[in-house]
Amino acid sequence: MTERILVIDDKENICRLLATHLQSEGFQVDTAPDGEQGLARFDTGSYDLVITDVKMPGMDGLDVLRRIKDRSPDTVVVLITAFADMDDAIAAMKMGAFDYLKKPFKLEEIQATVEKALENRRLLQENRRLRQEVEQKYSFDNIVARSKPMKDVFTRIERVAGAASTVLITGETGTGKELVARSIHYNSPRKNNPFVVVNCGAIPVNLIESELFGHVRGAFTDAIATKPGRFEDAHGGTLFLDEIGELEMSVQGKLLRVLQESEVTRIGESKMRKVDVRVVCATNKILDQEIHTGGFRKDLFYRINVVPIHLPPLRDRPEDITLLLNHFLAQFTKDNNSGEMRFAPSALARLLAHAWPGNVRELMNVVERCVLMSDNLVIEMDDLPPEIAGGSGAAHGGPFNAYAAPGLMGDENKVRATVPSQETSLKRAMEQAAEIIEPEMIRRAIESAAGNKDKAAKILDISRRSLFYKLKQYGMN
């Protein structure tokens, strides 16, 4: 789309000169002989850039600048004047002028300024668009779940997002700890400031202190230049310390001091620098156990565990699996222009029976692979990864696993017997899949609850009445 420029100057020859030149460069240009008429024209049109003289009868260029910025902050304004006044120039820049040029000017100078100003405007608009996309992506509405454990997580995130308190997110690998951390940041007053990520387990021990707190030139052998640390990078925003349980004890002590004093000292200097940073930590370790074995400082644990948020593994919220499968299927088919794809009932049943030891991350990767590898709009059993199609992920020892029941999908004949004909509706196909999975889930829940029906109902996240109805429905004693 052709960009529009408004030129405001009480000198007709200046207006004509600029209009002729800028039109020859492909811009759409309008002119006005004074500030009042310029603002009137601005109010009836949509301009990307305004070039205005400073000294004009009536309303001067600074007033024009102020009123345009009030009406449309994104419009770029360039001021020109025959009277170089440093105070005016400073005032103009403070009010948001892009540049301040002195007459007489060269057309090449105007052309370069206009191109630079419009490019700056495009970048600002693109940054705003990307930021809005990021904020939308990490809004609470886009965390896919409906289980009670995750609803409790949402409630806690919403309550803590607007505060400055330190947060500790715990959970197994792949449960979405960074997603929660970003959701906290992008729903907080700090959302327009940096979100800085440090993976404490991926940085060598001899470099982690420099990475966090920075260093000055010559502080150690490889310190060839002064470098601020990630705390300084995150000033005004949020610092996400992922896998904080991997930090060495010596670094833990220094981190504790920074959290308590809100000051950092770069390696090699004694100057303390104030930092305004909200710290969010995450770990897949059980820090209480690490404290008992001497692997984590108790005082640091108390300092970071102000607001704990635990993300349950996927096996503890089986009702979210279908929701997640459909969410990622829609996402990846859209990203890859793959058309409207769906899972065949047998493939869906196998996915529901998988143990998902890698949690949401594993599920997401599997769906993406299925979308890329399937030649049809229906994802069949053959499109699933071998470890899932073969049922190797169905058996899962340890605590109750409501969807990874041993033998649940191990009988291939039983599975194939429930695969409907092409005339069967998708709704009926899902009902048939449920008829295979639900009884086994109920049986395992009751076993895990040692026969206590109330406890089994809580494990399944259904009412006691619903549990007894299903027991009767499936003829289970």
Side-chain angles (χ1 to χ4, degrees):
M1 187 175 69
T2 302
E3 289 164 307
R4 299 187 66 195
I5 299 174
L6 174 62
V7 178
I8 307 172
D9 200 304
D10 59 329
K11 303 293 189 298
E12 184 180 350
N13 62 322
I14 295 292
C15 286
R16 187 166 53 249
L17 175 68
L18 289 176
T20 301
H21 177 74
L22 293 172
Q23 285 169 349
S24 70
E25 295 296 326
F27 298 106
Q28 183 177 336
V29 185
D30 293 323
T31 63
D34 56 49
E36 287 83 358
Q37 294 186 55
L39 280 178
R41 186 174 285 275
F42 183 84
D43 287 339
T44 59
S46 178
Y47 294 96
D48 302 291
L49 183 144
V50 174
I51 301 173
T52 180
D53 193 13
V54 174
K55 304 295 183 182
M56 295 182 293
M59 186 186 300
D60 67 13
L62 292 178
D63 283 335
V64 171
L65 166 64
R66 185 182 298 107
R67 298 190 188 193
I68 285 176
K69 284 296 181 181
D70 286 342
R71 289 166 166 79
S72 176
D74 281 354
T75 300
V76 187
V77 181
V78 175
L79 282 80
I80 54 176
T81 183
F83 308 96
D85 187 316
M86 184 59 67
D87 290 339
D88 279 353
I90 293 172
M93 301 309 283
K94 285 184 177 179
M95 284 188 285
F98 180 79
D99 210 344
Y100 189 94
L101 303 178
K102 183 183 176 183
K103 296 178 182 178
F105 50 76
K106 296 180 181 180
L107 288 177
E108 292 81 1
E109 183 183 9
I110 286 287
Q111 177 67 25
T113 300
V114 166
E115 290 178 355
K116 190 186 300 182
L118 290 174
E119 178 62 22
N120 181 263
R121 181 176 186 272
R122 293 183 206 109
L123 289 173
L124 287 174
Q125 290 180 325
E126 178 66 10
N127 285 340
R128 184 178 294 112
R129 183 188 67 79
L130 292 173
R131 184 172 292 277
Q132 288 173 345
E133 286 184 4
V134 168
E135 289 177 12
Q136 182 179 8
K137 179 179 179 181
Y138 294 111
S139 70
F140 302 132
D141 293 338
N142 282 326
I143 302 179
V144 180
R146 64 184 173 203
S147 61
K148 186 180 183 303
M150 286 304 294
K151 286 179 180 177
D152 293 341
V153 169
F154 297 159
T155 300
R156 183 158 289 203
I157 294 173
E158 288 183 281
R159 288 180 180 175
V160 76
S165 305
T166 306
V167 178
L168 177 62
I169 306 169
T170 57
E172 295 180 5
T173 298
T175 48
K177 295 187 287 294
E178 184 171 337
L179 173 62
V180 170
R182 289 183 182 273
S183 295
I184 291 171
H185 172 75
Y186 287 109
N187 288 277
S188 77
R190 297 173 177 265
K191 65 182 180 181
N192 293 322
N193 295 317
F195 178 84
V196 177
V197 180
V198 177
N199 187 333
C200 301
I203 301 172
V205 174
N206 60 325
L207 295 179
I208 186 65
E209 187 177 342
S210 169
E211 185 72 16
L212 290 173
F213 313 127
H215 63 257
V216 296
R217 182 180 178 183
F220 47 86
T221 304
D222 296 327
I224 59 176
T226 296
K227 175 183 174 296
R230 306 315 295 271
F231 269 93
E232 290 180 70
D233 292 342
H235 183 73
T238 302
L239 178 63
F240 176 49
L241 300 178
D242 197 10
E243 301 306 340
I244 193 171
E246 301 295 334
L247 282 180
E248 290 290 311
M249 291 292 283
S250 60
V251 181
Q252 289 180 29
K254 294 177 180 179
L255 174 61
L256 176 63
R257 191 191 66 79
V258 172
L259 294 177
Q260 290 173 337
E261 306 297 333
S262 297
E263 293 177 338
V264 294
T265 303
R266 295 176 181 173
I267 298 175
E269 72 174 10
S270 57
K271 178 181 178 180
M272 290 187 291
R273 302 170 186 271
K274 277 287 183 183
V275 288
D276 173 22
V277 176
R278 200 257 182 94
V279 176
V280 177
C281 305
T283 182
N284 60 10
K285 291 187 173 183
I286 301 175
L287 293 185
D288 283 339
Q289 294 180 3
E290 295 294 315
I291 292 170
H292 289 307
T293 58
F296 203 83
R297 292 178 61 122
K298 182 186 293 187
D299 47 5
L300 178 59
F301 173 72
Y302 291 142
R303 185 64 186 79
I304 64 175
N305 196 39
V306 177
V307 181
I309 296 177
H310 179 70
L311 298 184
L314 209 47
R315 64 178 172 273
D316 289 349
R317 48 189 184 103
E319 59 269 52
D320 289 336
I321 297 175
T322 302
L323 197 67
L324 288 163
L325 287 169
N326 290 331
H327 169 76
F328 289 123
L329 183 63
Q331 175 183 317
F332 291 125
T333 52
K334 180 181 177 182
D335 292 345
N336 293 282
N337 297 315
S338 304
E340 190 172 339
M341 300 181 73
R342 62 182 177 84
F343 293 105
S346 57
L348 179 60
R350 183 57 58 84
L351 289 166
L352 291 172
H354 182 60
W356 301 114
N359 292 295
V360 179
R361 183 183 298 138
E362 180 192 4
L363 184 147
M364 179 179 69
N365 292 340
V366 166
V367 175
E368 183 177 15
R369 175 176 173 177
C370 289
V371 170
L372 293 174
M373 301 306 293
S374 179
D375 295 325
N376 304 302
L377 292 179
V378 179
I379 297 173
E380 302 285 355
M381 189 78 76
D382 291 343
D383 298 314
L384 302 181
E387 65 273 17
I388 295 179
S392 61
H396 185 83
F400 169 69
N401 184 335
Y403 62 92
L408 180 57
M409 298 306 298
D411 187 342
E412 191 67 24
N413 292 329
K414 185 177 180 182
V415 173
R416 294 190 180 280
T418 62
V419 176
S421 65
Q422 291 181 344
E423 291 78 18
T424 302
S425 68
L426 180 59
K427 179 180 178 181
R428 179 54 190 149
M430 294 298 294
E431 290 172 352
Q432 290 175 346
E435 287 168 4
I436 301 175
I437 297 169
E438 276 194 345
E440 185 65 21
M441 290 173 65
I442 292 168
R443 182 186 66 77
R444 293 209 66 202
I446 292 174
E447 285 180 359
S448 178
N452 186 315
K453 303 295 193 302
D454 289 333
K455 187 176 179 181
K458 287 182 180 179
I459 292 173
L460 293 165
D461 197 22
I462 60 176
S463 68
R464 187 172 185 271
R465 183 177 179 180
S466 295
L467 176 58
F468 276 92
Y469 172 81
K470 289 183 179 293
L471 289 171
K472 183 178 179 181
Q473 176 187 355
Y474 294 119
M476 299 175 69
N477 185 356

